[in-house]
Amino acid sequence: ALRSWTGQRDFQKSGGAFGMMWRDPIKRAAAIATMKAYRLIKEYREKKSIWMSKRMLDGYQSNSYCKHGYFYSNKNKIKLFYRSSMEKDAYVILENDVEIISYDVEVLKIRYEFRGIRKHYIPDILAIYRDGSKRFIEVKPSYKLKYEVEQAKLTALKEHCESNGLLYSIWTEEQVYAK
């Protein structure tokens, strides 16, 4: 049964699911501090990384601050999700490259470690060429390449590709928007 608007308003005034405790500023501050402290625990962060990467591989598309949506690939005859306008423009390049017979997005989870926490990284694109070679392509704005976490991800990608006989590339604005 649905609550009436009056019942919903009363529920919100009472502090919602936390009840009267949430209206007390001291108890509320303590609850928020506990939640923030929990998010800093190593085990929580590792579990969250596993959970988030599984959601991505299962096809879940989260809301993003970047332009996102679907791109129809004529080569693959499917819609592909993009998480930034730069990824969408990379798909257009792949569509027009005659050496690439097909490509797929977010197909592999690579484990890496950053500051003592095990995390998971999913490369953007796997391109398959006419000669049978495969290349992982990471589409990333150049300003992000200086961040330590991004360097750790790209190092993990490099090691994975080298140990499995695969190629890899990092596409920044220079590669995507070359004139």
Side-chain angles (χ1 to χ4, degrees), residues 56-173:
M56 282 179 71
L57 290 173
D58 288 345
Y60 176 77
Q61 290 85 29
S62 62
N63 291 333
S64 171
Y65 61 88
C66 296
K67 181 180 176 184
H68 60 280
Y70 289 94
F71 173 84
Y72 183 78
S73 167
N74 288 315
K75 276 189 180 177
N76 301 311
K77 306 291 187 229
I78 57 171
K79 288 192 307 184
L80 301 169
F81 187 76
Y82 59 89
R83 296 182 189 280
S84 71
S85 57
M86 202 162 139
E87 277 186 21
K88 180 183 177 186
D89 295 337
Y91 295 168
V92 172
I93 292 169
L94 296 169
E95 282 291 316
N96 295 318
D97 189 340
V98 294
E99 290 302 312
I100 296 175
I101 57 171
S102 70
Y103 61 96
D104 204 353
V105 298
E106 298 174 348
V107 296
L108 175 72
K109 178 170 65 172
I110 300 172
R111 187 179 222 158
Y112 73 101
E113 194 166 307
F114 180 66
R115 295 186 179 165
I117 297 173
R118 287 183 308 231
K119 294 182 165 260
H120 296 89
Y121 158 66
I122 300 171
D124 293 328
I125 303 166
L126 172 63
I128 302 170
Y129 290 81
R130 286 197 187 283
D131 64 4
S133 62
K134 296 179 181 180
R135 177 183 302 269
F136 279 103
I137 301 169
E138 180 62 28
V139 180
K140 191 82 54 196
S142 57
Y143 76 89
K144 285 190 174 184
L145 296 178
K146 65 183 176 186
Y147 298 139
E148 286 180 57
V149 67
E150 297 300 332
Q151 291 173 3
K153 289 177 187 179
L154 296 175
T155 300
L157 175 63
K158 177 183 175 185
E159 290 171 358
H160 175 80
C161 289
E162 288 176 352
S163 66
N164 290 296
L166 301 167
L167 303 169
Y168 71 96
S169 296
I170 300 155
W171 287 9
T172 63
E173 299 89 351

